[in-house]
Amino acid sequence: MMTDEKSDDVIVRIRGLEKTYETSSEKLTILKNLDMDVHKGSKCVIVGKSGSGKSTLLNIIGGLDSATSGTVDVNGKIISSMEENELTEYRSRFLGLVFQFHYLLKDFTALENVFLPAYMAGTPKKDAMEKARSLLCDVGLEDRMSHLPSQLSGGERQRVAVARSLVNDPELILADEPTGNLDPANAVLIGDMLFSLSDRYHKTLILVTHDMNLAQKGSVRFFIKDGALTEEERR
């Protein structure tokens, strides 16, 4: 159950969230009066069918999309009230993002793809490089650092994306169908990796998926249907 009481360990607090798309011929409401609390350190999974609104919800939390109404409070700040420079800082420093597609820079090596977000955020070059190397070792790519994305398998590319999401030491990891483009074996590997590294580095994780096997790994599981969210299970 959602509550309006303030809690020091709530990192994401959503109240009355709605998202509506309008065209000249129709009005489609994707999210309907949605409430949600995510506690620091939790591993939250949002499950729903394709088109249910789960990716839209994640994009709103990530500041990549805006709500029609309602509030999203992340670590005490209302996202809709942020200026563009604040949003940029929020996305680069506070968040780590993992998508279904890796979005790696094709002309840069695995190491460079992980290094660049830290360097661009102001981390000294040497420190950024050391952090990138360490994270690539964490995801089992110590022998593939100098490879371009085209020289990596799909699973390896997604492992680079996971390492990249952690390089700026974010507090919150958002993962949108991170295993949706992978074969079953790599899907299990990437899923396990996301949860284990989130634990190891003490990160809060919000993961969107339609894969119930992956969803079972979450400490909190929500189900989204017809724009409404139900907390299904807490362990």
Side-chain angles (χ1 to χ4, degrees), residues 102-122:
H102 54 80
Y103 295 118
L104 299 179
L105 300 172
K106 65 183 180 66
D107 295 324
F108 292 83
T109 66
L111 180 62
E112 290 165 339
N113 266 282
V114 179
F115 155 82
L116 278 171
Y119 185 58
M120 292 175 67

Side-chain angles (χ1 to χ4, degrees), residues 125-189:
K125 184 175 181 179
K126 181 181 178 181
D127 294 342
M129 193 66 75
E130 287 179 358
K131 182 68 172 178
R133 289 182 188 279
S134 176
L135 285 167
L136 284 169
C137 288
D138 285 344
V139 299
L141 293 178
E142 56 270 21
D143 296 327
R144 310 289 278 172
M145 294 186 190
S146 62
H147 288 63
L148 297 171
S150 61
Q151 299 170 314
L152 300 172
S153 69
E156 288 172 335
R157 289 192 288 266
Q158 197 66 329
R159 280 191 264 170
V160 176
V162 170
R164 181 183 58 189
S165 74
L166 289 162
V167 75
N168 281 330
D169 195 25
E171 293 194 39
L172 177 62
I173 303 292
L174 302 181
D176 188 2
E177 295 281 9
T179 65
N181 203 38
L182 301 174
D183 62 80
N186 273 304
V188 171
L189 187 151

Side-chain angles (χ1 to χ4, degrees), residues 3-14:
T3 175
D4 286 329
E5 294 180 2
K6 292 289 185 179
S7 174
D8 290 341
D9 76 337
V10 173
I11 192 170
V12 178
R13 176 179 283 104
I14 297 173

Side-chain angles (χ1 to χ4, degrees), residues 30-182:
I30 303 295
L31 302 174
K32 304 173 183 176
N33 195 31
L34 187 149
D35 292 349
M36 180 182 181
D37 285 345
V38 177
H39 295 265
K40 291 180 181 179
S42 65
K43 307 298 176 282
C44 171
V45 178
I46 302 171
V47 185
K49 294 180 179 179
S50 179
S52 62
K54 59 188 187 298
S55 291
T56 299
L57 173 58
L58 206 70
N59 285 338
I60 291 172
I61 296 171
L64 303 170
D65 198 355
S66 57
T68 304
S69 61
T71 60
V72 179
D73 179 328
V74 181
N75 210 36
K77 292 187 176 182
I78 305 297
I79 291 180
S80 61
S81 300
M82 291 183 183
E83 301 289 344
E84 191 57 42
N85 63 323
E86 291 178 295
L87 274 174
T88 299
E89 179 75 6
Y90 167 69
R91 287 190 291 257
S92 67
R93 284 290 189 180
F94 190 84
L95 295 182
L97 301 170
V98 183
F99 300 98
Q100 180 174 350
F101 301 101
H102 54 80
Y103 295 118
L104 299 179
L105 300 172
K106 65 183 180 66
D107 295 324
F108 292 83
T109 66
L111 180 62
E112 290 165 339
N113 266 282
V114 179
F115 155 82
L116 278 171
Y119 185 58
M120 292 175 67
T123 303
K125 184 175 181 179
K126 181 181 178 181
D127 294 342
M129 193 66 75
E130 287 179 358
K131 182 68 172 178
R133 289 182 188 279
S134 176
L135 285 167
L136 284 169
C137 288
D138 285 344
V139 299
L141 293 178
E142 56 270 21
D143 296 327
R144 310 289 278 172
M145 294 186 190
S146 62
H147 288 63
L148 297 171
S150 61
Q151 299 170 314
L152 300 172
S153 69
E156 288 172 335
R157 289 192 288 266
Q158 197 66 329
R159 280 191 264 170
V160 176
V162 170
R164 181 183 58 189
S165 74
L166 289 162
V167 75
N168 281 330
D169 195 25
E171 293 194 39
L172 177 62
I173 303 292
L174 302 181
D176 188 2
E177 295 281 9
T179 65
N181 203 38
L182 301 174

